Amino acid sequence: MTGVLEQVEQFCLEHGLLHRGDRIVAACSGGPDSLALLVILWQLRRKYDLQIVAAHFEHGIRGAASKADADFVQAFCQQRGIPVQLAATDVPKEAAAQGLSLETAARELRYRFLEQVRQTAGFDAIAVAHHADDQAETVLMRILRGTGTQGLAAMRPRSGKGGTIIRPLLGVTKAAIRAFCAAQGLQPCEDATNEQAECTRNRLRLATLPALKQAYNPELARALCQLAEVAAAETEYIEAQVEALWQDTARVRQQPLALNQQGFSQLPLALQRGLVRRFWQAAAGSRQDLGFGQAEKLRLLLRVGQTSSQLELPHGFVARLAYGWLTCAQRPETAAAPAPADLQIPGCTQWGSYLCTAEWCAEIAPAPTPWELYLQPDDLAEPLVIRQRESGDAIQLPGGRKKLKKLLIDDKIPQQERDQLPILAAGHEVLWVAGHRRSTRCAVAFDRPLKRRVLYLRLERREEIYHDER
Amino acid sequence: MTGVLEQVEQFCLEHGLLHRGDRIVAACSGGPDSLALLVILWQLRRKYDLQIVAAHFEHGIRGAASKADADFVQAFCQQRGIPVQLAATDVPKEAAAQGLSLETAARELRYRFLEQVRQTAGFDAIAVAHHADDQAETVLMRILRGTGTQGLAAMRPRSGKGGTIIRPLLGVTKAAIRAFCAAQGLQPCEDATNEQAECTRNRLRLATLPALKQAYNPELARALCQLAEVAAAETEYIEAQVEALWQDTARVRQQPLALNQQGFSQLPLALQRGLVRRFWQAAAGSRQDLGFGQAEKLRLLLRVGQTSSQLELPHGFVARLAYGWLTCAQRPETAAAPAPADLQIPGCTQWGSYLCTAEWCAEIAPAPTPWELYLQPDDLAEPLVIRQRESGDAIQLPGGRKKLKKLLIDDKIPQQERDQLPILAAGHEVLWVAGHRRSTRCAVAFDRPLKRRVLYLRLERREEIYHDER
């Protein structure tokens, strides 16, 4: 068994993460993983002539504890003579202002800060501390939520725009990192990252993954990492082939963007699928939001479609086939709402293109987005249901009780959107117009400590979940 | 929502499973899935000018119930004028004679019979009744046990030698099939297939999969089937590319088989991995048994190895690099035994290259292989451990108590193999020399009904598990 330092060095060389003279920003929260990463890079600096700067992002989510983490990282670096950069941001405030979830806002702001440090210093890369157990969790989470082989590839040793994000610890386990910290006498901060927002992932980490290991395979984490490794290489190869094809078959310099139908049906299935994804990415500006079923319909349209055939796609896009070319343009959406769904507590409930996650929790995060809700549902006579609006619906607001119909008119929700709103209700008592308004019935007070556990709900678009990038 | 018949027809056309004039053997156990399959093919026979013969294999595992199933299928077919062929085999006896597990023997003998029916009649294909939920289970099982993208591809719509096995139901759910049976007034046999041997899969079906659906994604089964579909197409494409490369770079007409090192390191990673697997398959006669780690070492040998480098591989194979060519030959194995492992009950325990699955069960299968054991471990003072032999070990046999050392000498186990034997023991009390001998301590009587649950153990080579084909 070689030491963690040697394993990390070996991994970096294999994946081209480390070259002589590299200048690296080491992201450091102060927790065990990032502290180990910083120490390892610092120990390798002479051998590889590295320049290292540590960077700590104080997110302000946990008040005094956040400040203490920042002080710890600063003191740790000063003691060892490691250059360090610090930034403090009120993430909950930013999240609320931008309508993002706390975890999304924290991630985006943190990476923005790290990139800024890198660019200001003219450095090569940002090293982050994701390890093999993080990778295994990501792979399993994606499998459970639904993914193709690209999603399986999960986190790469090198990623980001221009390949500036590197993950030197991706090949070592959490246990090995903890052992390294102990052996080096490091005393990292507690790993109290944003428990609330990540609670689905925490459940996976603390309950599901250990149970699956015990029942099916003690080496499940390693198996998942290997699957990611295999999928990454295959995805990369296929994407390179698709990109070459795309250059030959797409009309990208003219409006509208178009894909040539000729020869498409003779391509191997994997390349047909790749080209369809590439087309959607170019047309819609993102490779997300196109489900497997829709992608297959689009592929079939290209393969056997007659001129003037067309297909409705997410976000109001319509694909049309005409004279051997496939085009794609946007138009306003109109769709029927799905049937009511009983809320699974705890668990996941699907309602049309939405997925609602419900969990009991003992702590609340300070600034829920409009797509998150805390509830104390004990005194309700009827079960909770997610559904479209119904006549007779009413909601309790701070200003008094109101008919839902009147509320939606007063709030200027366009007529054609009203039936698409996800409503959480008990009978005709509306508790939440998700993304929009909360009832004061069953509401949780944010300014007082919790006396008992409350229900935490989060609503997400399924297309977003199916393609979540970490 | 289209009907099941239309869905199946559509799936068959999409995947080329059905052509005008096809002659098809429909495997029929009498259970709901295979009965629905038979009825659907029979209903499509005029439209596609099909010839259909039903084939039932009586495995004799459940005595009178097996006979009743055969009678049911025969009567069902005669009533509708469907030609039918029946065969009866004592699978437990055959399994014991060939040292196979009951499930492996049942599967092999059943497919042998079906192929025989097909060849005798000069028919085109054998239709089997695997459906979308079977596929989802297979995918999840493989992910949990450990797999690459090829394993993810799981069951294909068409497989087998010459593509003679077809799976028309692979696109429809179990629920849809049950609904079809009800709508058609079919009264299938109970689905009491070999519960014992399949108990890990049953646990997955009955407990794990529903729990994961509830907690993470109600549409998990569909997501897993889509993942299989995507992986199948990509695997097929990559394998075709690898096969073309193999023809160009391997020396297959001379002994020993050799692979040319030239240009290898310039290939995309996915193709390097594919070529290494192809090489192992050609050298060892099977693509199984080469774990990911070993395959990667072999790849590294080819990529950067110096002349005279060599690498030990499973089953005593040794790969050698010499003058730009990689060869592979077999030699006797000698390896150190791993440390003792406490038996997880219920659960999975790893010991070296073995994985031991332990489950409580209320029924016992009649003919356990040497790699299966039933135990009533209640009266043991010490915990159960899997380990190599130790001095002081003894075992209770029908003929009396014996020192393990003496037993292994008397049984003529070669000296160099003795330390590699997996021993199940409590203290120095040996209960099982897996694959070889059982103790009479804690043994379960096969000829009396069970009064309480017993422990069922199964030991498998991990390489076999990691690549299980269904």
Side-chain angles (χ1 to χ4, degrees):
Chain A
M1 192 65 193
T2 52
V4 171
L5 185 84
E6 290 74 26
Q7 274 185 62
V8 172
E9 183 182 357
Q10 188 56 38
F11 183 87
C12 285
L13 295 179
E14 259 175 41
H15 293 87
L17 307 186
L18 213 57
H19 310 91
R20 174 159 297 281
D22 271 355
R23 292 160 304 168
I24 299 170
V25 180
C28 185
S29 70
D33 306 338
S34 62
L35 206 64
L37 174 62
L38 177 60
V39 168
I40 288 170
L41 290 175
W42 192 246
Q43 289 180 358
L44 289 173
R45 77 185 186 287
R46 295 240 165 73
K47 184 165 175 187
Y48 292 95
D49 189 23
L50 306 176
Q51 276 186 62
I52 307 289
V53 60
H56 177 85
F57 180 70
E58 187 192 337
H59 45 61
I61 294 173
R62 293 177 303 120
S66 292
K67 186 75 185 65
D69 288 358
D71 292 344
F72 167 80
V73 172
Q74 189 164 30
F76 183 91
C77 290
Q78 279 173 352
Q79 225 172 1
R80 282 170 168 76
I82 306 174
V84 59
Q85 298 246 8
L86 299 148
T89 303
D90 186 344
V91 171
K93 198 176 135 192
E94 286 289 322
Q98 298 181 31
L100 294 171
S101 79
L102 209 53
E103 63 189 307
T104 304
R107 187 177 55 223
E108 283 190 4
L109 293 166
R110 177 167 163 265
Y111 276 108
R112 204 180 299 166
F113 161 66
L114 293 169
E115 178 60 17
Q116 194 188 315
V117 172
R118 187 188 73 79
Q119 287 189 10
T120 308
F123 269 28
D124 302 296
I126 298 161
V128 292
H130 297 121
H131 49 64
D133 292 271
D134 289 331
Q135 178 79 322
E137 281 163 29
T138 302
V139 175
L140 185 58
M141 181 66 104
R142 289 183 182 189
I143 289 169
L144 294 176
R145 289 292 179 96
T147 185
T149 43
Q150 288 136 313
L152 282 186
M155 295 183 283
R156 315 280 177 106
R158 186 185 281 280
S159 69
K161 253 190 197 152
T164 48
I165 311 278
I166 61 172
R167 296 186 172 85
L169 301 188
L170 209 53
V172 292
T173 63
K174 185 155 61 183
I177 292 170
R178 297 300 191 277
F180 175 82
C181 286
Q184 296 273 323
L186 303 177
Q187 293 182 312
C189 308
E190 282 305 300
D191 231 356
T193 46
N194 195 4
E195 296 277 327
Q196 179 52 62
E198 291 264 23
C199 51
T200 305
R201 183 178 278 268
N202 276 348
R203 185 169 49 178
L204 186 93
R205 176 180 305 159
L206 301 173
T208 306
L209 203 42
L212 293 175
K213 278 184 188 175
Q214 210 252 322
Y216 298 98
N217 182 2
E219 299 232 40
L220 179 56
R222 190 167 64 96
L224 291 171
C225 287
Q226 288 174 2
L227 180 56
E229 173 69 38
V230 168
E234 297 190 350
T235 292
E236 200 172 296
Y237 172 62
I238 288 175
E239 283 181 356
Q241 303 294 103
V242 166
E243 195 55 38
L245 266 172
W246 173 255
Q247 300 302 334
D248 290 344
T249 55
R251 189 176 66 195
V252 292
R253 286 171 205 284
Q254 283 170 262
Q255 274 304 324
L257 176 81
L259 184 66
N260 199 327
Q261 190 183 18
Q262 205 187 357
F264 184 83
S265 62
Q266 267 71 54
L267 292 173
L269 182 51
L271 298 186
Q272 290 183 9
R273 288 197 175 126
L275 261 186
V276 162
R277 280 195 310 269
R278 187 64 183 81
F279 175 72
W280 172 252
Q281 183 191 357
S286 152
R287 68 170 54 197
Q288 298 183 17
D289 300 339
L290 189 71
F292 178 76
Q294 286 163 319
E296 283 295 276
K297 279 187 194 150
L298 192 51
R299 186 174 69 76
L300 229 64
L301 180 67
L302 256 168
R303 199 160 68 87
V304 299
Q306 306 291 316
T307 274
S308 300
S309 303
Q310 65 176 48
L311 181 68
E312 311 246 342
L313 294 169
H315 305 312
F317 280 94
V318 180
R320 284 192 187 81
L321 195 67
Y323 307 108
W325 291 89
L326 183 75
T327 59
C328 194
Q330 214 164 4
R331 81 168 180 206
E333 225 167 338
T334 47
D342 292 340
L343 190 71
Q344 297 287 328
I345 306 172
C348 278
T349 311
Q350 194 185 320
W351 188 73
S353 62
Y354 292 95
L355 198 69
C356 181
T357 309
E359 321 216 19
W360 290 107
C361 59
E363 277 188 3
I364 57 176
T369 71
W371 297 98
E372 296 174 302
L373 180 73
Y374 290 94
L375 268 186
Q376 241 149 10
D378 321 58
D379 58 340
L380 291 170
E382 289 170 281
L384 295 174
V385 168
I386 303 176
R387 56 167 172 79
Q388 73 180 131
R389 66 186 180 132
E390 289 175 1
S391 74
D393 280 351
I395 185 167
Q396 193 70 40
L397 296 175
R401 198 166 177 75
K402 204 163 183 178
K403 288 270 175 212
L404 184 65
K405 187 172 178 180
K406 183 152 171 27
L407 174 76
L408 297 181
I409 294 169
D410 290 354
D411 282 358
K412 300 195 171 60
I413 305 284
Q415 176 81 40
Q416 66 272 25
E417 289 177 21
R418 291 178 203 162
D419 284 339
Q420 309 297 325
L421 294 171
I423 307 273
L424 179 76
H428 281 305
E429 184 68 37
V430 173
L431 300 173
W432 189 23
V433 183
H436 187 59
R437 286 274 201 162
R438 300 179 178 99
S439 166
T440 54
R441 275 287 302 269
C442 313
V444 173
F446 279 79
D447 48 355
R448 272 167 286 167
L450 285 182
K451 287 194 185 132
R452 56 201 158 139
R453 295 201 306 166
V454 296
L455 192 60
Y456 167 73
L457 302 183
R458 188 175 53 199
L459 213 75
E460 295 161 281
R461 284 254 183 209
R462 286 179 54 237
E463 300 87 35
E464 289 162 16
I465 297 166
Y466 277 34
H467 298 84
D468 74 321
E469 272 293 331
R470 182 168 176 169
Chain B
M1 194 63 191
T2 51
V4 172
L5 185 83
E6 290 74 27
Q7 274 185 62
V8 172
E9 183 182 359
Q10 187 56 38
F11 184 87
C12 285
L13 295 179
E14 260 174 40
H15 293 86
L17 306 186
L18 211 57
H19 309 93
R20 174 157 295 282
D22 270 354
R23 293 160 304 168
I24 300 169
V25 180
C28 186
S29 70
D33 306 338
S34 62
L35 206 64
L37 174 62
L38 178 59
V39 168
I40 288 169
L41 290 174
W42 190 245
Q43 289 179 359
L44 289 173
R45 79 186 185 286
R46 293 241 165 74
K47 184 165 176 186
Y48 291 95
D49 190 21
L50 306 177
Q51 277 186 62
I52 306 290
V53 59
H56 178 85
F57 179 71
E58 187 191 337
H59 46 59
I61 295 175
R62 293 178 302 122
S66 293
K67 186 75 183 68
D69 288 358
D71 293 344
F72 167 80
V73 171
Q74 189 163 31
F76 183 90
C77 290
Q78 279 173 352
Q79 225 172 2
R80 284 170 167 77
I82 305 174
V84 60
Q85 298 246 10
L86 300 147
T89 303
D90 186 344
V91 170
K93 199 175 135 194
E94 286 289 323
Q98 298 182 31
L100 294 172
S101 80
L102 208 53
E103 61 188 307
T104 304
R107 189 177 53 222
E108 282 190 5
L109 293 166
R110 177 167 164 267
Y111 275 108
R112 204 180 298 165
F113 160 66
L114 293 170
E115 178 61 16
Q116 194 187 315
V117 173
R118 188 189 73 80
Q119 287 190 10
T120 307
F123 269 29
D124 302 297
I126 297 161
V128 292
H130 297 121
H131 51 63
D133 293 88
D134 290 330
Q135 178 78 320
E137 281 161 31
T138 302
V139 174
L140 186 58
M141 180 67 103
R142 290 184 179 188
I143 289 170
L144 293 176
R145 290 290 180 96
T147 185
T149 43
Q150 288 136 312
L152 281 187
M155 295 183 283
R156 315 278 177 108
R158 187 184 281 281
S159 69
K161 251 187 199 156
T164 49
I165 311 278
I166 61 173
R167 296 184 171 88
L169 301 187
L170 209 53
V172 292
T173 63
K174 185 154 62 183
I177 292 170
R178 297 300 192 277
F180 176 82
C181 286
Q184 296 272 323
L186 303 177
Q187 293 183 312
C189 308
E190 281 305 300
D191 230 356
T193 46
N194 194 4
E195 296 277 328
Q196 179 51 62
E198 291 264 22
C199 53
T200 305
R201 184 178 278 268
N202 276 348
R203 185 170 48 178
L204 187 92
R205 177 181 303 159
L206 301 174
T208 306
L209 203 42
L212 293 175
K213 277 184 188 174
Q214 211 251 322
Y216 297 98
N217 182 3
E219 300 232 40
L220 178 57
R222 190 166 63 96
L224 292 170
C225 287
Q226 290 174 1
L227 180 56
E229 173 69 38
V230 168
E234 297 190 349
T235 292
E236 199 172 298
Y237 172 62
I238 288 175
E239 283 182 356
Q241 304 293 103
V242 166
E243 194 56 39
L245 265 172
W246 172 254
Q247 299 302 334
D248 289 345
T249 56
R251 190 176 66 194
V252 291
R253 286 170 205 284
Q254 284 170 259
Q255 274 303 324
L257 176 82
L259 183 65
N260 199 325
Q261 191 183 18
Q262 204 187 358
F264 184 84
S265 62
Q266 267 69 56
L267 292 174
L269 182 51
L271 298 185
Q272 291 184 10
R273 289 198 174 124
L275 261 185
V276 162
R277 280 196 310 268
R278 187 65 184 78
F279 174 73
W280 172 253
Q281 183 190 357
S286 152
R287 67 171 55 197
Q288 297 182 19
D289 299 338
L290 190 70
F292 178 75
Q294 287 163 317
E296 285 294 278
K297 279 187 194 149
L298 191 51
R299 186 173 69 76
L300 229 63
L301 181 67
L302 257 168
R303 200 159 69 86
V304 299
Q306 307 289 316
T307 275
S308 299
S309 302
Q310 65 177 48
L311 181 69
E312 311 246 342
L313 294 169
H315 306 311
F317 280 94
V318 180
R320 283 191 188 81
L321 196 65
Y323 306 108
W325 291 88
L326 183 76
T327 59
C328 194
Q330 216 165 3
R331 81 166 181 208
E333 223 166 342
T334 47
D342 294 339
L343 190 71
Q344 295 288 330
I345 306 173
C348 278
T349 311
Q350 193 186 320
W351 188 73
S353 63
Y354 292 95
L355 197 69
C356 181
T357 309
E359 321 217 18
W360 290 106
C361 57
E363 278 189 1
I364 57 176
T369 71
W371 297 97
E372 295 174 303
L373 181 73
Y374 290 93
L375 268 186
Q376 243 149 9
D378 322 57
D379 58 339
L380 291 170
E382 289 171 281
L384 296 174
V385 168
I386 303 176
R387 56 166 172 79
Q388 73 179 131
R389 66 187 180 131
E390 289 175 1
S391 75
D393 280 350
I395 186 167
Q396 192 71 41
L397 295 176
R401 199 166 178 75
K402 203 164 185 178
K403 289 269 175 213
L404 184 65
K405 187 173 179 178
K406 182 152 172 25
L407 176 75
L408 297 181
I409 293 168
D410 291 353
D411 282 358
K412 301 194 171 60
I413 305 284
Q415 175 82 40
Q416 67 273 25
E417 289 177 21
R418 289 177 205 164
D419 284 339
Q420 309 299 323
L421 293 171
I423 308 273
L424 179 77
H428 281 304
E429 185 68 36
V430 173
L431 300 173
W432 189 24
V433 183
H436 188 60
R437 287 273 203 165
R438 301 179 176 97
S439 166
T440 54
R441 274 288 301 271
C442 314
V444 174
F446 279 80
D447 48 356
R448 272 167 287 167
L450 283 182
K451 286 195 186 130
R452 58 201 157 141
R453 296 199 307 165
V454 296
L455 193 59
Y456 167 73
L457 302 183
R458 188 175 53 199
L459 213 75
E460 295 160 281
R461 284 251 184 212
R462 284 178 55 237
E463 300 86 36
E464 288 161 16
I465 297 165
Y466 276 34
H467 299 85
D468 73 323
E469 272 293 329
R470 182 167 175 169

